[in-house]
Amino acid sequence: MKITVFGATGGTGTRLVRQGLQRGHEVTAVVRDPARLPAELRERADVVVADVMDPDAITPAVAGRDAVLSAMGPRGTGPTTVCSSSARSILTAMERTGTRRLLMVSAAGLESDAGDGPFTRYVLKPIVQRVLRHSYADLARAERLLRESGTDWTIVRPARLTDADATGRYRTARDLSVRGGHTTTRADLADCMLTLIDDRTSVGHVVSVAT
């Protein structure tokens, strides 16, 4: 497939690019600073230098693609609009070009649901939600934009991300949190997102992923 990755120089985005290439996909990596993408990936991917917040700049990178994957995320815990503003821009570019499949990284801590155990629901998540309230408010806005769009969207919510190697044994849950799942490796998250691209049953759903 032809896929475009936003946030390609981040921890998850880099793994999406690498694993996408390993799977034989044609990968377009949208970056602001190409030097932050590992050299071996720069040589194999189609690297596009553009500001994700500018729909005009990213429209060529979205046109004709089978799927768009967003791994955008803020730095720090202060007020931010990185996720929602980038989502709005990406959706605008996709609408212009007719590209329909969109997968976006969110966060498992965003809300509590029936998949959570008592400790997670009443202790852990409330603490995390207070600490990351600005980031989560931004993610909630981004999720709302996807839900209201006409795209074939899937929101992917990992648990606390780690840089450990892929486990190959992650679990997923649809429209629920993964029971007892407290961490997700970025490598597993990337594998999950790439697998979900052509899973039509995940369209219009939130997929949680954790080990």
Side-chain angles (χ1 to χ4, degrees):
M1 291 181 290
K2 296 180 180 180
I3 65 174
T4 294
V5 178
F6 290 97
T9 58
T12 299
T14 300
R15 287 164 174 81
L16 283 170
V17 173
R18 179 175 287 109
Q19 291 186 29
L21 291 168
Q22 290 171 346
R23 291 183 180 216
H25 299 318
E26 295 180 28
V27 181
T28 297
V30 180
V31 303
R32 296 193 71 171
D33 180 6
R36 294 183 58 206
L37 195 66
E40 73 273 15
L41 300 184
R42 292 200 304 271
E43 294 171 358
R44 299 173 60 199
D46 177 19
V47 180
V48 173
V49 180
D51 181 0
V52 66
M53 305 302 179
D54 182 356
D56 293 333
I58 65 173
T59 292
V62 167
R65 299 318 193 269
D66 297 300
V68 174
L69 292 79
S70 176
M72 297 296 296
R75 292 176 181 160
T77 59
T80 180
T81 62
V82 166
C83 294
S84 56
S85 294
S86 61
R88 183 176 292 106
S89 179
I90 291 167
L91 287 167
T92 298
M94 291 179 66
E95 182 178 354
R96 291 176 179 175
T97 60
T99 301
R100 296 194 53 81
R101 189 72 173 111
L102 174 61
L103 297 94
M104 183 188 78
V105 176
S106 185
L110 197 61
E111 60 186 10
S112 297
D113 57 50
D116 295 324
F119 176 77
T120 298
R121 180 181 296 187
Y122 299 114
V123 179
L124 183 59
K125 279 191 175 179
I127 293 173
V128 174
Q129 288 163 356
R130 284 196 297 273
V131 173
L132 300 178
R133 61 188 182 280
H134 296 300
S135 298
Y136 281 4
D138 186 35
L139 278 173
R141 291 191 295 268
E143 286 197 3
R144 186 163 56 250
L145 288 169
L146 263 65
R147 294 174 193 273
E148 294 172 352
S149 74
T151 61
D152 295 337
W153 58 268
T154 299
I155 294 166
V156 184
R157 291 181 177 174
R160 182 176 61 83
L161 287 168
T162 75
D163 292 322
D165 294 336
T167 68
R169 50 180 175 79
Y170 61 84
R171 297 172 292 146
T172 61
R174 190 163 301 177
D175 300 320
L176 289 172
S177 298
V178 175
R179 190 66 176 263
H182 299 305
T183 62
T184 308
T185 71
R186 295 180 189 277
D188 282 344
L189 172 58
D191 182 81
C192 178
M193 291 183 71
L194 291 165
T195 299
L196 287 171
I197 289 176
D198 56 3
D199 180 358
R200 300 301 300 176
T201 66
S202 71
V203 172
H205 292 279
V206 173
V207 176
S208 298
V209 53
T211 49

